[in-house]
Amino acid sequence: MREYEIWRIVDVNMYNSLLSPDFTLERMAENDAQQAKIDALWNRFDFEKYSDFVCERAVIELKKLLKRLPRSMDVRFVEDSAEIYSPPYYNYGGDELIFRIRARSHRSQKSMQRYLENFFREEWNKEFGSDYAIYEYIRENKGIEDFLLDEEAVS
């Protein structure tokens, strides 16, 4: 078994995308008072907490994808290895999921990355891919209230 560090595969970009917190957690205010309350909540929004949750959901989607790989490769996700890398400036790229796998393979690091990108390319091109599944889960099960800083932390 060989261990590899892999990038991407599941889209977790949170800038101008489905997973952008303001888009995913958007709730329509019916009046100005309600809008003021929503604005106050956004002032307490914890992006790190949101990003960690997106990462957790991305791992769930990733594990589903990894099951599609040839059985002979015996690919296994390395638990607690996933993290989201956010670039300092989004004009050069977006957030990316980095994770580790163990596989029965003699491929180089670069070759394994390319193999997985090609294998899952169809998933990226699907209208309702893994990033949509993450978005849909958050949209249906979470609200801005789930990603707030404690009031003391804001003060």
Side-chain angles (χ1 to χ4, degrees), residues 36-55:
K37 182 180 177 187
I38 292 171
D39 291 345
L41 291 175
W42 277 111
N43 289 334
R44 292 179 43 217
F45 181 73
D46 185 347
F47 185 79
E48 187 175 335
K49 190 184 279 188
Y50 179 78
S51 180
D52 289 347
F53 190 79
V54 168
C55 187

Side-chain angles (χ1 to χ4, degrees), residues 35-77:
Q35 185 60 52
K37 182 180 177 187
I38 292 171
D39 291 345
L41 291 175
W42 277 111
N43 289 334
R44 292 179 43 217
F45 181 73
D46 185 347
F47 185 79
E48 187 175 335
K49 190 184 279 188
Y50 179 78
S51 180
D52 289 347
F53 190 79
V54 168
C55 187
E56 289 172 26
R57 296 306 306 176
V59 167
I60 291 168
E61 295 304 316
L62 173 65
K63 287 178 177 179
K64 290 178 192 175
L65 291 174
L66 293 178
K67 288 179 182 179
R68 297 180 187 175
L69 289 165
R71 222 175 214 174
S72 61
M73 290 179 67
D74 192 22
V75 175
R76 296 169 191 212
F77 173 77

Side-chain angles (χ1 to χ4, degrees), residues 10-14 17 19 54-55 58 84 95-97 131 134:
V10 174
D11 185 2
V12 294
N13 186 25
M14 292 175 267
S17 72
L19 297 178
V54 168
C55 187
I84 293 178
D95 304 297
E96 293 188 359
L97 182 69
D131 62 328
I134 298 167

Side-chain angles (χ1 to χ4, degrees), residues 5-131:
E5 183 174 75
I6 305 297
W7 292 64
R8 295 180 290 273
I9 308 304
V10 174
D11 185 2
V12 294
N13 186 25
M14 292 175 267
Y15 180 73
N16 284 338
S17 72
L18 275 179
L19 297 178
S20 176
D22 56 336
F23 183 75
T24 304
L25 300 171
E26 177 186 89
R27 300 292 184 257
M28 300 300 290
E30 294 178 16
N31 56 50
D32 290 340
Q34 190 178 18
Q35 185 60 52
K37 182 180 177 187
I38 292 171
D39 291 345
L41 291 175
W42 277 111
N43 289 334
R44 292 179 43 217
F45 181 73
D46 185 347
F47 185 79
E48 187 175 335
K49 190 184 279 188
Y50 179 78
S51 180
D52 289 347
F53 190 79
V54 168
C55 187
E56 289 172 26
R57 296 306 306 176
V59 167
I60 291 168
E61 295 304 316
L62 173 65
K63 287 178 177 179
K64 290 178 192 175
L65 291 174
L66 293 178
K67 288 179 182 179
R68 297 180 187 175
L69 289 165
R71 222 175 214 174
S72 61
M73 290 179 67
D74 192 22
V75 175
R76 296 169 191 212
F77 173 77
V78 176
E79 292 300 327
D80 299 320
S81 69
E83 64 180 312
I84 293 178
Y85 166 77
S86 296
Y89 305 101
Y90 282 102
N91 51 341
Y92 296 111
D95 304 297
E96 293 188 359
L97 182 69
I98 304 169
F99 60 94
R100 300 185 77 72
I101 60 168
R102 286 192 187 95
R104 187 172 291 129
S105 174
H106 296 290
R107 295 177 189 269
S108 68
Q109 173 69 42
K110 194 174 193 176
S111 174
M112 181 60 82
Q113 178 73 43
R114 193 173 30 242
Y115 172 78
L116 292 176
E117 286 175 3
N118 290 334
F119 191 90
F120 293 118
R121 187 166 313 279
E122 184 179 312
E123 292 298 320
W124 290 335
N125 296 328
K126 282 185 178 178
E127 183 178 351
F128 299 106
S130 52
D131 62 328

